[in-house]
Amino acid sequence: MAAIRLNYDVPGDDFTRAGEASADLKARMKKLGMPSEGLRRAAIALYEGEINLAIHAGGGQILVELGPDKVEMTLTDQGPGIADIGLAMSEGYSTAPDEVRSLGFGAGMGLPNMKRYSDDFEIESELGKGTRVFMRVNF
């Protein structure tokens, strides 16, 4: 199987659409007969990333490369950036506003779960310029 490239735009502050990319990726992986554990891990990691893009960055872009033995996902945004990546990676730490928390989001598990469900996880961020997250899930 040749690698499949997928591009998704995630709108900011639209929680009704957050999750569309991860649902589409999951459906495509299932249709291709990808292993269920890899499918599950990729869908969870990508969903958490989509929610973060919607909550914190005003939206962003996702590039997915789906190959026979792995899926690579790169999320980029032009949001405010992350001041302290180490702190942001701490379970339970969140900068989500109260109105987002009242919807059931913003529990501070997004970045930790993205890392937990990925075999390779990299994050780069610059204040005032945005953030780039790379995740790889191997099958």
Side-chain angles (χ1 to χ4, degrees):
M1 171 181 104
I4 298 169
R5 293 177 60 103
L6 306 167
N7 290 288
Y8 303 99
D9 287 318
V10 177
D13 300 323
D14 186 352
F15 300 105
T16 62
R17 295 202 39 218
E20 288 179 356
S22 55
D24 182 69
L25 177 62
K26 182 178 177 180
R28 287 173 187 259
M29 290 176 70
K30 191 173 188 176
K31 187 174 181 178
L32 291 168
M34 300 299 209
S36 61
E37 180 61 16
L39 182 154
R40 182 183 73 81
R41 292 173 55 228
I44 292 170
L46 189 56
Y47 177 78
E48 294 284 11
E50 284 180 86
I51 294 298
N52 278 358
L53 288 171
I55 292 173
H56 302 289
Q61 296 75 41
I62 299 171
L63 171 64
V64 175
E65 290 197 28
L66 179 58
D69 59 350
K70 66 184 175 192
V71 58
E72 295 179 340
M73 301 164 280
T74 304
L75 293 76
T76 56
D77 67 64
Q78 285 74 51
I82 301 170
D84 185 336
I85 291 174
L87 183 59
M89 292 297 299
S90 302
E91 290 188 10
Y93 176 79
S94 178
T95 59
D98 289 339
E99 62 268 17
V100 170
R101 290 173 188 252
S102 72
L103 297 171
F105 299 102
M109 293 303 296
L111 288 174
N113 279 339
M114 291 165 71
K115 183 175 182 177
R116 177 178 293 113
Y117 290 103
S118 299
D119 292 302
D120 189 16
F121 176 87
E122 300 168 9
I123 184 169
E124 303 167 349
S125 190
E126 188 174 343
L127 289 178
K129 301 228 176 184
T131 301
R132 178 192 164 277
V133 174
F134 171 82
M135 299 179 288
R136 179 183 302 116
V137 174
N138 299 320
F139 320 135

